[in-house]
Amino acid sequence: MPTQYVGNEINTIRKDLKTVDLTFALVFPDLYEIGTSHFGLQILYSILNSHEKIAAERFFAPAPDMEALLSEKKIPCLSMESKKELKSFDIIGISLLYELNFTNILTLLSLSSIPFYSRDREGAFPLIIGGGPCAFNPEPLADFFDAFVIGDGEEVSMEIADLVMAFKKEGDGQKKTLLRLLSKIDGVYIPSFFTPVYDNLGLQRLTPLFEDYQTVRRVFLPSLTKESFPVAPIIPFAKPVHDRLRLEIARGCSRGCRFCQAGMIYRPVRERSLEDLIDITTTSLKTTGHSDISLLSLSTGDYSNLPELMKRLHAIGQEHCNAISLPSIRAEKLTPDLMQIIKKVRKTGFTIAPEAGSQRLRDIINKNLTEDSILSAVENAMNLGWKNIKLYFMLGLPFETQEDIEAICHLSRRLASSYAKGKKTINVSTTCFIPKAHTPFQRYPQISLSEAREKLQYLKSNLRHPKINLKWQGPEMSLLEGVWSRGDRRLSRLLVSAFEKGCRLDGWTDKFDFSLWQKAFEETGIDPLFYTSRQRDDDEPLPWDHIDSGISPGFLNKEFEKAKQGSLTPDCRDNDCTGCGICDFKTIRPVLYDGIFDSRETASLPPQDQKRLPEDAFTKFELSFSKLDEARFFGHLELGIIFQRAVKRAGLNTRYSQGFNPLMQISFENALPVGMESEEEILFIYFEKKMTLVNIVDLLNKELPKGLFITGCKHYHRLKNGNEKPARYSIRISEECFDKEEVERFLQLSEFVVQDLSKKGKTRTTDLRKSVEKISFINPHTIEMILKRYNERTVRPMEILTNCFKLDEKAMASARITKMRQG
């Protein structure tokens, strides 16, 4: 997927770096397809770039093949936008979302020749800052970072940027001075201002250097507003895991699941207003051309006005939106109105997270979910059109018994037998419970590797059902995640050791190598069980004690005691305050929008059947376009999506297929291989008859990425002679690979027969000589070639170059092949 490195996506922001006062690198330490799907990165990108004097640019972890190439060529990590190297940025902000991404951070620093340890980096810049959920226990990474942001990043990121800009102009240039100034900002943790000391039991205690800086309290965003929402998000290329418009409808959750770190550290619940959500959606569909919407929240079904929101999204989404992703909803939330709306939209995935198989264990973890409600939710989902239901369970939860594991099997089989009829299936996904910081179970031991394997094997043996698919995270990955979740500063040398041994992309099952981590543990003398399998006493200091999440320690202790008793804590959204300590009820309080709205406003929006134009309002057009420079890396399927979204952003009405999932009627004359340029390609599409040719060209060219350009437009006329015209190519290679005599010898041959396998696996025979109409020798670097269709096959220049002229892989890698314009 070469387009993951191109960086010319729609809605990217490019600034002249010579005219700005601050450069800010936004680093996501995972592959592009994951990082570009992360909504938080889009938020910060939009906020920072809204400032005239700040340029924020993106970095992602390279895939192994690109990392190897960068190392071989001694090329540093370069930004997506300006191709500026990472170490030249003033601030490097790194997203910390997942513990198994930590080695990728060192990959990026190593490729950029940036010293790993903050103490080894001279000068104030680059300033390396981490933020995200993993920052709530920053200690395992403390030696590498200059600072961490604890909490919501929207406002504090601008505070940091403003301070650094002022420091660059008026400061003394000393890093310690800058860090001291940063420590005055709410939510900013400076690890070098705390000295670790270890007692005879190996427990870490931190000694603060300053009297006025002994704890760091999480920073809060009081409410979610339109101003901080990216209404023109970047439209990623390649295959992002979430390729749809993401709509954050709320932040935080008050249900109080005792295992859930996100439910604790993102409190209180802050809903986005219905009016803002509709305005954002209306604008964003126009700026992106997306076809699908995904509602983002820790608990989507709890949004106060979900039925009304779904009605309005469905109404404004006509001709724009094919699917609204409602990933999970509780049975009691499925009102008749909501069920009718859900029936009208295309379904994506539906997830239910019982977490535990038995009611006893669900009460212990405060899941507030009964077996009857689970059965009802699955039944309703199946009746509403979902075909695949995902169930999530955890192994090794506190106070778990064998009966609880057996209950997972019983519940899954009952659901499959009762509701998975026909093509419908139940997907059961399981992972090991990992105690996290700032939760009631933060002191509880994680189950051992052998216990995890035994429990998993039981599920594999007892969930054999034709309608059940079992998936799991490897216990070894869970063990490693547990080490990093509750570790201290001694783990920094473990990370370096693992990186040096080749650990990369550890969150990917096909890249994870536990044997390398075992060697790193042995080399550093670190016992993983010290961090995972111990019951931590009530008076034991925790590595994150100096980080104030806003949740009171007393509340966490009380919740653990209630867990022992199997006692439930109700949701404060619908009941009295539970006393968690997060709210001051002045600036920090729940923000809910549960008003009554005028249904006439929704009713006035045109329904789908009235808004769609009749088929005879459209006519077929033939568009020619060039695909040059960076656009040569687009694959054929990718190209189709790019054009469809460009049509939507341009505001052009086009014809769709009929049915529940209407598709834009667009087709291409040929599919070019990835890497090949073309001066002229043809696509066919239906537009309104009233559209002028000039308008179509002008509107589309404004919405296409660099390298794609509409060169012509005409009304389509079917040709009587449908024979494909010969294609003319220019081939340029950096080395001298072509010999005039060799070209002439090939042209004198009567045949050149090769055999290969078709896509269906059948052996096929092709005479390459008969597919070549002409080859012109230009110089030792360049030839031109005219190829014609032969034996129902379209032969590509690559086949001629590798088979007939024996060009090796190195020469082919430098080949620049351009399909030339006809005539």
Side-chain angles (χ1 to χ4, degrees), residues 238-518:
K239 295 179 181 178
V241 293
H242 297 299
D243 196 11
R244 55 181 71 99
L245 177 64
R246 285 152 294 169
L247 197 60
E248 186 190 29
I249 64 174
R251 191 176 300 179
C253 178
S254 55
R255 287 197 171 268
C257 298
R258 293 173 179 134
F259 61 86
C260 182
Q261 186 187 49
M264 298 293 167
I265 65 175
Y266 289 123
R267 292 185 178 200
V269 175
R270 288 146 292 164
E271 293 184 344
R272 203 178 294 275
S273 75
L274 187 64
E275 289 78 7
D276 280 0
L277 287 171
I278 298 307
D279 287 347
I280 288 166
T281 304
T282 304
T283 302
S284 296
L285 286 174
K286 293 176 181 177
T287 61
T288 64
H290 273 304
S291 296
D292 298 342
I293 296 174
S294 180
L295 306 183
L296 298 184
S297 172
L298 288 175
S299 184
T300 305
D302 286 337
Y303 183 75
S304 297
N305 288 292
L306 188 60
E308 184 69 19
L309 174 63
M310 291 290 288
K311 284 181 186 179
R312 296 198 188 187
L313 290 179
H314 181 63
I316 67 172
Q318 308 309 329
E319 297 293 354
H320 290 284
C321 178
N322 293 340
I324 301 174
S325 174
L326 189 65
S328 178
I329 183 168
R330 290 175 176 252
E332 66 270 20
K333 299 290 184 178
L334 281 171
T335 63
D337 282 351
L338 184 55
M339 291 173 70
Q340 289 303 314
I341 291 294
I342 292 174
K343 284 181 180 179
K344 296 178 182 178
V345 298
R346 180 165 62 87
K347 314 300 185 296
T348 54
F350 190 92
T351 301
I352 300 176
E355 312 295 357
S358 69
Q359 192 61 51
R360 182 192 73 88
L361 194 51
R362 285 195 293 273
D363 289 346
I364 285 173
I365 62 176
N366 203 50
K367 186 61 186 178
N368 280 302
L369 193 63
T370 66
E371 185 158 325
D372 286 343
S373 66
I374 295 169
L375 295 171
S376 178
V378 171
E379 181 181 16
N380 286 329
M382 292 293 193
N383 291 337
L384 290 170
W386 272 280
K387 298 186 184 304
N388 299 305
I389 303 296
K390 297 178 184 178
L391 300 176
Y392 282 107
F393 295 98
M394 284 189 286
L395 302 176
L397 284 163
F399 314 112
E400 180 184 78
T401 66
Q402 179 60 29
E403 286 76 17
D404 298 310
I405 304 299
E406 294 169 2
I408 293 175
C409 300
H410 171 76
L411 177 59
S412 301
R413 287 195 299 263
R414 182 179 178 185
L415 291 170
S417 299
S418 300
Y419 305 115
K421 309 296 184 183
K423 296 182 179 180
K424 298 178 179 180
T425 59
I426 301 291
N427 295 320
V428 175
S429 182
T430 184
T431 187
C432 295
F433 164 67
I434 300 166
K436 297 276 186 170
H438 307 287
T439 68
F441 296 144
Q442 62 183 350
R443 295 179 180 273
Y444 199 82
Q446 184 174 336
I447 60 172
S448 68
L449 205 52
S450 59
E451 287 179 287
R453 288 168 176 162
E454 182 181 343
K455 293 174 188 288
L456 179 58
Q457 185 56 52
Y458 181 87
L459 293 184
K460 291 179 182 179
S461 300
N462 289 274
L463 274 180
R464 293 174 179 171
H465 188 286
K467 292 295 182 179
I468 294 177
N469 299 316
L470 177 63
K471 298 181 179 180
W472 61 89
Q473 183 188 61
E476 297 81 6
M477 296 177 76
S478 298
L479 172 69
L480 192 61
E481 184 179 343
V483 170
W484 290 104
S485 294
R486 296 192 293 172
D488 54 33
R489 294 194 187 187
R490 285 171 295 191
L491 294 184
S492 60
R493 53 196 170 94
L494 173 68
L495 191 67
V496 174
S497 176
F499 170 79
E500 290 173 343
K501 287 173 171 46
C503 292
R504 305 286 193 280
L505 298 168
D506 300 293
W508 295 77
T509 304
D510 59 333
K511 306 291 191 304
F512 180 70
D513 188 339
F514 188 57
S515 66
L516 296 179
W517 280 98
Q518 288 176 307

Side-chain angles (χ1 to χ4, degrees), residues 4 61 116 125-126 134 153 188 214 223 276 279 295 327 352 361 423 460 505 546 570 587 596 625 627 635 669 700 766:
Q4 66 182 302
F116 293 159
F125 304 106
C134 293
V188 174
Q214 300 194 29
S223 60
D276 280 0
D279 287 347
L295 306 183
I352 300 176
L361 194 51
K423 296 182 179 180
K460 291 179 182 179
L505 298 168
H546 57 302
T587 58
I596 298 174
F625 65 94
K627 180 174 179 275
E669 189 175 61
L700 278 179
T766 305

Side-chain angles (χ1 to χ4, degrees), residues 94-110:
I94 302 178
S95 297
L96 304 175
L97 269 80
Y98 184 31
E99 291 85 355
L100 298 190
N101 284 343
F102 288 174
T103 53
N104 305 337
I105 298 171
L106 300 193
T107 300
L108 289 154
L109 297 180
S110 175

Side-chain angles (χ1 to χ4, degrees), residues 684-707:
F684 307 100
I685 189 170
Y686 291 85
F687 290 125
E688 289 182 82
K689 292 177 180 178
K690 66 181 182 180
M691 289 299 300
T692 66
L693 304 182
V694 173
N695 277 349
I696 292 172
V697 173
D698 289 346
L699 289 170
L700 278 179
N701 276 334
K702 291 177 183 177
E703 301 298 336
L704 289 172
K706 182 181 178 182

Side-chain angles (χ1 to χ4, degrees), residues 127-131 145-149 160 179 182 188-191:
L127 182 71
I128 299 183
I129 304 175
F145 282 77
D146 298 310
F148 292 89
V149 168
I160 291 171
L179 296 180
L182 288 170
V188 174
Y189 168 50
I190 309 298

